[in-house]
Amino acid sequence: MAYDRDNIFARILRGEIPCDKVYEDEFVLAFNDINPQAPTHVLVIPKGEYVSMDDFSEKASAEEIAALMRATGQIARDIGVAQAGYRLLANTGENGGQEVPHLHFHLFAGRSLGPMLAQ
Ligand code: 5GP
């Protein structure tokens, strides 16, 4: 799938739409989800134009990949959920239920998160 520069996260990255920022570095932005599904619901995104994990893993530089992985763990520590636990989720494509076509990890925490998938 070609990257759509008008997707909502691209617009947040350009500063056209505000976000409730949790973390930012050269390669990564994280912000609170506008419609939280758990007491803590943060979206962690690369700043580069990647649709999905398969796209990112194929095209991103080693520096970008390392930055996203390191930032995700750092955010979990910084917001204080690492010890009690959390869940990372990347919905991908049609079957994965992805709504926004810019790679993002959902970081859910703050309560017991139940089964991994809806039964
Ligand atoms: P997906 O279904 O693509 O995995 O998740 C997209 C997520 O983006 C949803 O959880 C949705 O609530 C969130 N979202 C959509 N638009 C906005 C927005 O403008 N701001 C923020 N902070 N989150 C958004």
Side-chain angles (χ1 to χ4, degrees):
M1 184 200 278
Y3 185 81
D4 169 14
R5 292 196 164 146
D6 285 330
N7 81 73
I8 200 94
F9 295 170
R11 298 184 65 200
I12 286 173
L13 284 165
R14 289 198 295 270
E16 295 169 8
I17 294 174
C19 72
D20 182 13
K21 186 162 63 178
V22 170
Y23 174 94
E24 182 169 19
D25 67 26
E26 185 181 353
F27 298 109
V28 179
L29 179 68
F31 47 94
N32 286 311
D33 196 290
I34 204 167
N35 182 25
Q37 306 294 313
T40 296
H41 185 173
V42 174
L43 298 168
V44 186
I45 71 173
K47 289 186 173 176
E49 296 181 346
Y50 305 104
V51 177
S52 62
M53 191 61 183
D54 49 283
D55 186 30
F56 183 69
S57 67
E58 184 183 9
K59 297 175 188 155
S61 68
E63 209 177 6
E64 289 175 293
I65 292 170
L68 185 63
M69 294 297 106
R70 289 198 185 280
T72 303
Q74 186 179 327
I75 291 161
R77 293 190 299 274
D78 288 352
I79 65 176
V81 302
Q83 193 160 358
Y86 57 97
R87 180 171 294 164
L88 294 170
L89 177 73
N91 295 321
T92 305
E94 194 177 340
N95 280 356
Q98 183 177 9
E99 290 170 9
V100 179
H102 181 113
L103 172 61
H104 52 282
F105 286 99
H106 297 259
L107 191 165
F108 301 108
R111 65 168 165 81
S112 177
L113 294 163
M116 187 160 53
L117 289 175
Q119 301 302 300

